[in-house]
Structures are given as C-alpha cells and as structure tokens.
Amino acid sequence: MRHSQDTWRLIAQGALLGVLAGLAFALVEVLTSVARGHAPEVPLRMAASVVLGREALDPLAPAVVRGVGILVHLGLSVVFGALYGAILPTLTGEVREGVTSQALVGLGFGVFLWLVNFQLIARTEYPWLLGTPQVTQAAIHAACFGLPIAMGFAAHERRLRRRGDA
C-alpha cells in the first residue's frame, strides 16, 4: 500500500503531538502518584519496568532507572502519536477538522490504548502495572493523551483548510 504525502505528514505530526501529549500525560501521572501518597518517580519506574523488569520498581533502584522510564514513556508516546496520525486519513475532513468529533475520536483512542496496554498486555506480561486504579488510568489515557493529540490535529487541520492547503 502506498502512502500519500498527506498520510506521512499526519504520521510525523502525530509523533510530535505524541511527545507533547506524553509530557502532559506524564505530569498528570506524577501528580496522581503524589496524590496517592507515592513518590513522584513511581510512574517513571513503572515505565522503566517494561524493559528492565519488576526490579525497576524498587525505590533503591539506581537513578538510571528514571532515565530509562523517560525514554520508554517518550518512545511509546511517539509511536502512539504516529499511530493516531496514521488513523486520520481514514476519517472524513469534517471529522478531522471538527473539535467535537476529534475530541470523541481522541478520547476513544486513549481508552483503546489503555485497553490494549493494561487490559491485554499488562495482564500477561507486566501484572504489577495493574496495581494502579484502572478507572483512573483509563481516564488519564483518554483525557491526557488521546484528547490533547486530537485537539492538536483538529486545530492544525482547520488552519490548513483556511489556508487552502487541505
């Protein structure tokens, strides 16, 4: 299947928006961790545990674990953002430009990521990730990752249309 220039633009833009949304997501994860009485680096250690194993959760683990957590989190944010961008060509122009329709797609995308990452993959490969409240995780994925990406795309698509580039 040959991708159009528009598709590659959307994938690249999705990767960038993924980083931005990933930063917002990480901030909310840290705040949630602190609100639950945990150390602020717990979300970073959890991300690192995907590649380093359960040992990354040890509070005495070396500082490099937090760096690995940042790399894992941002790497996944890029991939998931690019995936969102790859999905956009399947949507109509009205959906791509519409704030409400993009918001719904973005929220659904965030919930989809939570379902796949936590309810499918973590259940078999990383069960320790299920120790966080899953309703909270679903909400954070939807509102703090999927929604920001969607709003970024909606704004950009409307700007392109006004300029006559879309």
Side-chain angles (χ1 to χ4, degrees), residues 35-82:
R36 292 187 64 229
H38 301 291
E41 77 262 4
V42 167
L44 295 177
R45 285 195 261 128
M46 292 183 95
S49 74
V50 171
V51 294
L52 299 177
R54 192 178 196 121
E55 299 79 28
L57 300 177
D58 184 345
L60 300 176
V64 71
V65 168
R66 290 188 294 275
V68 170
I70 290 168
L71 291 175
V72 168
H73 177 74
L74 289 177
L76 290 172
S77 296
V78 166
V79 169
F80 297 149

Side-chain angles (χ1 to χ4, degrees), residues 47-118:
S49 74
V50 171
V51 294
L52 299 177
R54 192 178 196 121
E55 299 79 28
L57 300 177
D58 184 345
L60 300 176
V64 71
V65 168
R66 290 188 294 275
V68 170
I70 290 168
L71 291 175
V72 168
H73 177 74
L74 289 177
L76 290 172
S77 296
V78 166
V79 169
F80 297 149
L83 177 62
Y84 190 93
I87 291 168
L88 282 185
T90 67
L91 305 176
T92 66
E94 287 179 3
V95 171
R96 285 169 52 172
E97 295 173 19
V99 172
T100 302
S101 55
Q102 270 283 13
L104 292 173
V105 172
L107 290 168
F109 183 74
V111 170
F112 171 77
L113 290 177
W114 167 76
L115 282 170
V116 170
N117 291 327
F118 281 83

Side-chain angles (χ1 to χ4, degrees), residues 7 11-13 20 27 33 40 43 45 51 58 61-62 75-77 98 100 103 105 107 113 118-119 134 137 141 144:
T7 300
I11 290 170
Q13 185 179 353
L20 297 174
L27 176 62
S33 180
R45 285 195 261 128
V51 294
D58 184 345
L76 290 172
S77 296
T100 302
V105 172
L107 290 168
L113 290 177
F118 281 83
Q119 302 310 308
Q134 291 303 295
Q137 282 299 316
H141 278 75
C144 300

